């Protein structure tokens, strides 16, 4: 089965799977100094890691890139020029309050469908799409139900594994039925994590904290809303679009007030006492939210900026997390 | 009194001004000696060199009095529209209504340069969490907070979608500080698919018809907001008349560029050309006066070209400049190093293209908005640059990176590859912060090297 890789949460895995292809939302490694995109000032480490993985990797048949950030939009040019994979750039509107923006997203899904058929995919029947959406919804539900029973890292990795393979694998992970309650409850928020960044979750736990909400793009925040079963049977593609475009809150949206509304609700529900704000150097979209977050949310915020592949950054991050948690003790 | 074209300092301009006054030069109400603007804190003016024509004087005075013009407009009861991240589309709509004036708040990015960082706008941006890792356009935040550089607009619009992250993030920050913004979406321009209805855009790109329709729907939202603000309907007749006026500006600029970039001897310096091109974006808050300013400038350049006179050596290296500079002095520096500008892509080539007059006006504007070189791929932009390189006979490309700008990180490599593959001329990339004094020797060395390379290649 052909594999279609992507990294943006607004690309619905169900839509790719319904075309008879294998969706895989990848998490790149921090790229070193080798690869087509070398470390240069201004380039976001995540974008660099993604481009280098897409260009040098050989496992996939195609890649889907979206327009949610300008660097990723421009990285598409490099993927097309230097890579061998078939590539698709999907317009994900920044605005979301108008019917026109919602329709644009839906039209882009249909265009993605034509691209997938061009790769050898099958035009999905309504029944096939409904079946796959239900499978994914069930898997997502089982992952969400495991929250609180797994360590922070294992939970976030379970989400990442689901995004990569479409399987929850969660039953194997729950070995202890008692919910975990030790540690100071924190949330982590930001863009996507690189593979190496998952270590941060261990550092938090080893320093006396516990992540009660992974609001990074690779975590819970990057999961679509639960499907409405009635609407799903009436018009599954529309429901898919609603759950993704309407259900995932992100800093890039204009306005992005819904991100803060979501965050306030989740903080209240989960009792977080502090925020780890994770951002990459040169990621303007998230960087600009840092001060606003501090102004809007009445919790201590730790700013973790990282260049992705630097040992110095790593040690600094560890120390900063430890001090942050000492402060919260 | 000598009328030989040349570049002069600000001090020399004040003497020249007296001479022109004595010779009976006509001045508009915003006229006067250039030196007076330094009293407003525009210290960078002391370090620039200017064209010595009366037309250039009028251009500079027009530029440097925009703030007063906006306040006067408000006093006269006009409503003010701030058109953010919009290079020449919404202003055409706004100026089609009698009681609206549009301006470009992003233009505040030049304040740190012109005032040599004395206004403290970047420090204010820092304090709001927008530090030096962002494009210098962050100065706009400070300008809003201080309210000292332009009146706070009655309506703020901002295009988002296929725009740079810096500006989108800064505009969102502004919004979070309590400034309401009407966001409108400009999607990434893509190539039409096989058998998909397509539209040829001004400037040569093409786009799927559905994208034009989408942008049209977004401009309709903007139009409604403008109508509400103006208390007046913006019908097709008014909008068509507004488009015709905008095209008058664009026609003068087209002639100016053709003359200045192709003349044997450069008839107008790079700095004045840059300022003139910028007028296309929002008419410097007075559309009718823009037409007069450009008409005079074109007249001056026509006469210089006819006489074979200019401001630079005839063998100056013919440079195509990509992206605007945050420090205006760098345009002088290129000329000091033996270069001249023969072609530009300052991020808004589409604002120089003629807006179609044979289409329904909103559709024509939607096509122009989608023709923006920055909303498509860097390859598209590079190909447009190549077309202009051939047209103007440029001998090298200077890619001027804007510090922190999201598009600059990756586009340089693509543009370089496409230019070298298509037109085989040297490309140099530099980075220009708002004040370049500390890196001037390095910049000079790099520019000199580029000029020398061009001169050497002529011997082939």
């Amino acid at each position: 089965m052909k594999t279609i890789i992507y990294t943006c949460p607004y690309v619905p895995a169900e839509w790719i799977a319904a075309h008879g292809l294998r969706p895989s939302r990848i998490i790149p490694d921090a790229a070193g100094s080798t690869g087509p995109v070398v470390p240069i000032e201004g380039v976001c480490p995540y974008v660099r890691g993604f481009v280098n993985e897409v260009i040098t990797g050989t496992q996939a048949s195609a890649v889907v890139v979206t327009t949610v950030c300008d660097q990723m939009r421009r990285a598409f040019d490099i993927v097309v020029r230097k890579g061998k994979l078939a590539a698709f750039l999907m317009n994900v509107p920044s605005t979301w309050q108008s019917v026109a923006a919602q329709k644009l997203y839906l039209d882009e899904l249909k265009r993605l469908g034509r691209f997938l058929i061009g790769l050898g995919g099958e035009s999905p029947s309504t029944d096939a799409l409904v079946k796959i959406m239900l499978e994914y919804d069930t898997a997502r539900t089982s992952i969400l139900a495991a929250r609180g029973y797994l360590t922070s890292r294992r939970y976030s990795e379970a989400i990442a594994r689901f995004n990569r393979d479409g399987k929850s694998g969660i039953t194997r992970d729950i070995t202890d039925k008692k919910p975990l309650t030790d540690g100071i409850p924190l949330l982590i928020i930001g863009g996507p994590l690189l593979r190496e960044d998952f270590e941060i979750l261990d550092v938090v736990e080893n320093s006396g904290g516990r992540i009660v909400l992974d609001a990074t793009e690779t975590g819970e925040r990057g999961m679509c809303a639960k499907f409405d079963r009635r609407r799903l049977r009436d018009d599954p593609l529309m429901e898919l679009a609603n759950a993704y475009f309407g259900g995932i809150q992100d800093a890039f949206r204009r306005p992005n007030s819904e991100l803060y509304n979501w965050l306030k609700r989740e903080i209240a529900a989960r009792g977080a006492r502090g925020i780890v704000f994770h951002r990459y150097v040169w990621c303007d979209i998230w960087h600009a939210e840092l001060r606003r977050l501090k102004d809007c949310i009445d919790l201590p915020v730790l700013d973790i900026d990282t260049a992705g592949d630097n040992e110095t950054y790593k040690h600094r991050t560890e120390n900063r997390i430890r001090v942050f948690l000492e402060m919260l003790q | 009194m000598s009328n030989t074209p040349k570049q002069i300092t600000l001090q020399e301009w004040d003497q020249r001004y007296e001479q022109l006054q004595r010779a009976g030069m006509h001045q508009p109400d915003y006229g006067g000696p250039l030196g007076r603007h330094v009293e407003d804190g525009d210290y960078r003016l002391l370090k620039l060199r200017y064209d010595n024509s009366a037309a250039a004087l009028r251009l500079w005075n027009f530029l440097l009095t925009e703030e007063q013009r906006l306040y006067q407009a408000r006093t006269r009861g006009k409503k003010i529209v701030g058109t953010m991240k919009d290079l020449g589309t919404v202003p055409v709509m706004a100026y089609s209504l009698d009681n609206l004036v549009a301006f470009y708040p992003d233009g505040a990015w030049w304040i740190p340069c012109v005032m040599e960082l004395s206004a403290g706008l970047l420090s204010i941006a820092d304090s709001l969490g927008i530090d030096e890792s962002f494009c210098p356009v962050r100065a706009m935040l400070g300008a809003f907070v201080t309210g000292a550089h332009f009146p706070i607009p009655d309506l703020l619009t901002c295009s988002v979608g296929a725009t740079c992250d810096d500006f989108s993030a800064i505009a969102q920050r502004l919004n979070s500080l309590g400034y309401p913004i009407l966001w409108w979406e400009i999607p990434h321009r893509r190539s039409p698919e096989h058998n998909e209805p397509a539209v040829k855009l001004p400037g040569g790109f093409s786009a799927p018809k559905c994208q034009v329709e989408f942008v049209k729907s977004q401009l309709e939202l903007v139009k409604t907001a403008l109508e509400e603000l103006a208390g007046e309907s913006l019908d097709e007749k008014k909008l068509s008349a507004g488009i015709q006026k905008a095209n008058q500006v664009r026609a003068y600029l087209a002639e100016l560029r053709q003359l200045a970039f192709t003349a044997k001897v450069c008839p107008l310096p790079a700095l004045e050309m840059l300022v003139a091109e910028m007028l296309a974006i929002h008419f410097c808050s007075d559309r009718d006066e823009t037409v007069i300013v450009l008409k005079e400038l074109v007249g001056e350049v026509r006469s210089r070209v006819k006489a074979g006179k200019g401001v630079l050596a005839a063998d100056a290296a013919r440079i195509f400049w990509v992206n605007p500079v945050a420090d205006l002095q760098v345009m002088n520096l290129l000329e000091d190093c033996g270069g001249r500008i023969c072609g530009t892509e300052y991020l808004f080539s589409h604002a120089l293209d003629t807006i179609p007059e044979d289409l329904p006006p909103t559709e024509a504007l939607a096509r122009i908005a989608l023709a923006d070189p920055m909303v498509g791929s860097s390859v598209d932009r590079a190909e447009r640059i190549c077309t202009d390189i051939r047209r103007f006979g440029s001998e090298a490309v200077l890619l001027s990176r804007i510090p922190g700008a999201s598009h600059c990180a990756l586009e340089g490599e693509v543009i370089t590859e496409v230019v070298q593959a298509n037109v085989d001329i040297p490309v140099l990339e530099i980075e220009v912060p708002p004040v370049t004094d500390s890196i001037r020797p390095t910049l000079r060395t790099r520019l000199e090297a580029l000029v020398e390379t061009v001169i050497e290649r002529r011997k082939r």
Side-chain angles (χ1 to χ4, degrees):
Chain A
M1 188 185 284
K2 286 181 176 172
T3 299
I4 313 299
I5 58 173
Y6 57 98
T7 187
C8 176
Y10 288 96
V11 178
E14 294 90 331
W15 188 232
I16 296 171
H19 284 79
L21 303 168
R22 181 179 167 267
S24 183
R25 189 169 143 199
I26 61 169
I27 297 180
D29 274 326
S33 54
T34 56
V37 181
V38 295
I40 48 172
E41 191 170 294
V43 178
C44 159
Y46 188 87
V47 170
R48 189 159 58 85
F50 176 72
V51 172
N52 285 345
E53 186 143 332
V54 168
I55 292 176
T56 55
T58 55
Q59 304 300 315
S61 299
V63 58
V64 179
V65 180
T66 70
T67 58
V68 299
C69 95
D70 191 33
Q71 290 213 14
M72 207 48 110
R73 178 167 78 96
R74 294 183 183 283
F76 180 78
D77 290 337
I78 295 175
V79 166
V80 168
R81 290 176 68 78
K82 298 200 167 163
K84 293 182 182 134
L85 300 186
F88 182 86
L89 182 63
M90 179 175 166
N91 256 309
V92 178
S94 296
T95 54
W96 52 276
Q97 291 166 310
S98 70
V99 174
Q102 293 156 18
K103 183 177 178 301
L104 175 60
Y105 179 77
L106 187 64
D107 288 344
E108 285 294 282
L109 288 186
K110 291 175 184 169
R111 196 169 66 84
L112 172 62
R114 293 195 290 275
F115 170 78
L116 297 173
I117 290 167
L119 291 172
E122 299 161 1
S123 181
S125 67
T126 300
D127 288 347
L129 180 57
V130 168
K131 183 171 175 287
I132 285 169
M133 286 172 68
L134 287 171
E135 285 170 8
Y136 271 78
D137 208 38
T138 304
R140 263 190 295 266
T141 303
S142 74
I143 290 173
L144 291 170
R147 184 178 64 218
Y149 294 92
L150 304 176
T151 65
S152 307
R153 181 168 183 165
R154 286 182 74 193
Y155 180 61
S156 295
E157 285 182 340
I159 296 172
R161 198 164 45 246
F162 166 69
N163 288 334
R164 190 189 62 212
D165 301 331
K167 298 184 178 80
S168 84
I170 210 70
T171 48
R172 290 196 307 276
D173 279 322
I174 302 177
T175 51
D176 182 357
K177 296 292 180 188
K178 279 187 183 171
L180 304 168
T181 52
D182 292 344
I184 297 166
L186 301 179
L187 73 87
I188 182 168
I189 189 166
L193 296 182
L194 287 163
R195 217 167 291 164
E196 293 83 347
D197 292 331
F198 284 81
E199 285 176 25
I200 291 171
L201 306 174
D202 283 340
V203 174
V204 167
E205 287 202 339
N206 294 338
S207 307
R210 177 168 52 92
I211 299 292
V212 292
L213 172 61
D214 179 353
T216 64
E217 188 178 299
T218 31
E220 276 183 57
R221 190 180 56 76
M223 295 171 97
C224 72
K226 193 165 176 56
F227 299 131
D228 179 290
R229 299 289 161 123
R230 186 181 57 78
R231 289 199 304 259
L232 182 142
R233 294 193 189 279
D234 289 348
D235 188 344
L237 183 57
M238 180 64 89
E239 179 56 12
L240 190 70
N242 285 340
Y244 275 84
F245 188 63
I248 301 173
Q249 303 308 331
D250 197 274
F252 90 100
R253 305 198 117 180
R254 295 296 172 263
N256 61 16
S257 43
E258 286 300 299
L259 172 67
Y260 287 87
N261 292 338
W262 175 82
L263 202 52
K264 284 174 184 169
R265 280 196 307 271
E266 294 300 326
I267 287 171
R270 303 191 195 200
R273 286 178 47 202
I275 299 174
V276 177
F277 186 89
H278 179 266
R279 65 183 172 91
Y280 295 106
V281 174
W282 306 116
C283 171
D284 298 328
I285 295 287
W286 278 99
H287 187 178
E289 297 303 321
L290 174 61
R291 184 56 57 91
R292 185 172 166 211
L293 185 75
K294 288 179 176 177
D295 292 345
C296 281
I297 310 277
D298 190 22
L299 286 178
V301 178
L302 175 69
D303 174 27
I304 299 290
D305 62 329
T306 172
D309 57 348
N310 186 313
E311 279 296 307
T312 312
Y313 271 102
K314 195 177 154 196
H315 294 312
R316 194 187 64 157
T317 298
E318 288 172 3
N319 284 332
R320 284 171 61 79
I321 290 172
R322 284 190 195 110
V323 172
F324 185 61
L325 280 158
E326 277 173 30
M327 191 192 75
L328 291 173
Q329 294 281 358
Chain B
M1 183 179 69
S2 166
N3 279 324
T4 305
K6 63 176 179 177
Q7 288 171 288
I8 57 176
T9 64
L10 196 70
Q11 289 82 358
E12 289 168 330
W13 238 123
D14 286 347
Q15 294 160 20
R16 169 94 176 140
Y17 180 80
E18 293 300 324
Q19 292 169 353
L20 288 169
Q21 280 284 79
R22 283 196 295 275
M25 173 182 65
H26 167 70
Q27 284 276 288
D29 58 1
Y30 57 82
L34 275 186
R36 75 188 196 280
H37 299 293
V38 178
E39 291 162 22
D40 301 333
D42 296 346
Y43 306 119
R44 201 61 170 171
L45 301 182
L46 290 165
K47 295 175 184 162
L48 302 178
R49 277 180 296 102
Y50 308 83
D51 184 79
N52 67 342
S53 64
L57 174 71
R58 186 168 190 158
L59 174 73
W60 278 106
N61 273 327
F62 185 49
L63 175 76
L64 296 168
T65 54
E66 184 176 14
E67 185 186 337
Q68 292 98 297
R69 200 153 42 249
L70 283 168
Y71 280 109
Q72 284 165 6
R74 175 159 281 169
T75 305
R76 290 202 305 272
K78 293 205 174 198
K79 299 287 185 186
I80 295 174
V81 185
T83 58
M84 298 192 296
K85 201 64 208 168
D86 179 334
L87 300 158
T89 304
V90 176
V92 176
M93 299 169 78
Y95 281 98
S96 301
L97 289 162
D98 288 337
N99 60 341
L100 296 189
V101 172
F103 81 106
Y104 180 57
D106 324 20
W109 91 304
W110 265 318
I111 295 174
C113 162
V114 174
M115 300 185 79
E116 293 196 331
L117 307 176
S118 63
L121 302 188
L122 298 182
S123 305
I124 294 171
D126 283 343
S127 73
L128 295 168
I130 306 295
D131 65 18
E132 70 280 356
S133 68
F134 290 81
C135 160
V137 78
R138 69 195 176 102
M140 183 190 75
L141 266 187
F144 269 97
V145 170
T146 60
H149 300 277
F150 47 69
I152 302 304
D154 299 295
L155 172 67
L156 265 177
T157 67
C158 184
S159 76
V160 285
T163 60
C164 63
D165 285 343
D166 301 79
F167 198 85
S168 176
I170 291 166
Q172 177 61 68
R173 189 75 183 100
L174 183 67
N175 186 225
S176 73
L177 294 172
Y179 296 88
I181 294 173
L182 173 66
W183 309 97
W184 63 279
E185 183 91 24
I186 183 87
H188 175 86
R189 185 186 61 243
R190 62 176 174 83
S191 299
E193 293 176 355
H194 183 59
N195 284 336
E196 187 178 20
V199 171
K200 192 87 175 163
L201 303 175
F205 301 134
S206 58
K209 194 168 187 323
C210 63
Q211 284 200 323
V212 176
E213 290 299 319
F214 176 81
V215 176
K216 209 171 120 185
S217 77
Q218 298 297 293
L219 293 180
E220 290 290 348
L221 292 176
V222 175
K223 181 164 146 304
T224 303
L226 294 175
E227 287 174 332
E228 281 173 12
L229 182 67
E232 181 188 348
S233 157
L234 179 52
D235 59 28
E236 288 210 355
K237 194 176 165 194
K238 286 180 196 163
L239 195 49
S240 295
I243 287 173
Q244 282 172 14
K245 274 279 187 185
N247 278 341
Q248 212 180 338
V249 170
R250 293 171 188 223
Y252 277 127
L253 284 170
E255 184 179 355
L256 194 61
R257 281 161 54 86
Q258 183 67 27
L259 288 168
F261 299 159
T262 60
K264 202 165 182 178
V265 184
C266 176
L268 194 68
L271 199 44
E272 279 74 14
M273 281 301 296
L274 170 64
V275 173
E277 287 196 31
M278 293 292 293
L279 298 185
I281 297 175
H282 70 284
F283 315 120
C284 209
S285 302
D286 187 337
R287 188 185 57 188
D288 293 338
E289 184 62 19
T290 292
V291 173
I292 297 168
V293 168
L294 288 176
K295 187 179 175 187
E296 274 194 18
L297 209 54
V298 168
E300 178 68 30
V301 169
R302 274 185 202 145
S303 67
R304 287 180 181 184
V305 172
K306 194 174 173 190
K309 289 180 180 172
V311 289
L312 300 170
D315 65 347
R318 305 168 65 83
I319 308 297
F320 191 104
W321 198 291
V322 179
N323 295 337
V325 282
D327 184 354
L328 298 170
Q329 201 182 18
V330 176
M331 305 310 287
N332 284 161
L333 183 60
L334 173 75
E335 292 167 340
D336 289 346
C337 295
R340 64 178 277 201
I341 297 293
C342 290
T344 55
E345 207 304 89
Y346 290 141
L347 305 173
F348 57 87
S349 293
H350 64 299
L352 305 172
D353 293 327
T354 304
I355 307 168
E357 293 184 20
D358 57 348
L359 293 171
T362 313
E363 166 146 4
L365 289 173
R367 289 192 189 190
I368 274 288
L370 261 180
D372 184 337
M374 300 306 289
V375 310
S377 76
S378 301
V379 177
D380 275 2
R381 186 177 183 216
E383 284 172 354
R384 177 161 187 163
I385 288 168
C386 290
T387 303
D388 279 353
I389 286 170
R390 293 187 194 99
R391 183 174 148 211
F392 297 129
S394 327
E395 298 172 288
V397 172
L398 196 63
L399 270 167
S400 168
R401 278 174 66 124
I402 300 165
S406 62
H407 61 93
C408 288
L410 292 168
E411 72 178 357
E413 180 184 332
V414 175
I415 293 173
T416 300
E417 284 177 8
V418 173
V419 165
Q420 288 178 339
N422 289 1
V423 288
D424 188 27
I425 60 174
V427 181
L428 176 71
E429 199 165 357
I430 59 171
E431 183 165 281
V432 180
V435 175
T436 56
D437 296 1
S438 63
I439 59 164
R440 196 170 169 82
T442 311
L443 274 179
R444 176 180 278 278
T445 304
R446 291 176 70 78
L447 294 178
E448 283 173 348
L450 183 69
V451 169
E452 281 169 27
T453 305
V454 167
I455 304 296
E456 270 308 302
R457 282 168 61 97
R458 286 180 186 164
K459 296 174 187 165
R460 282 185 186 176

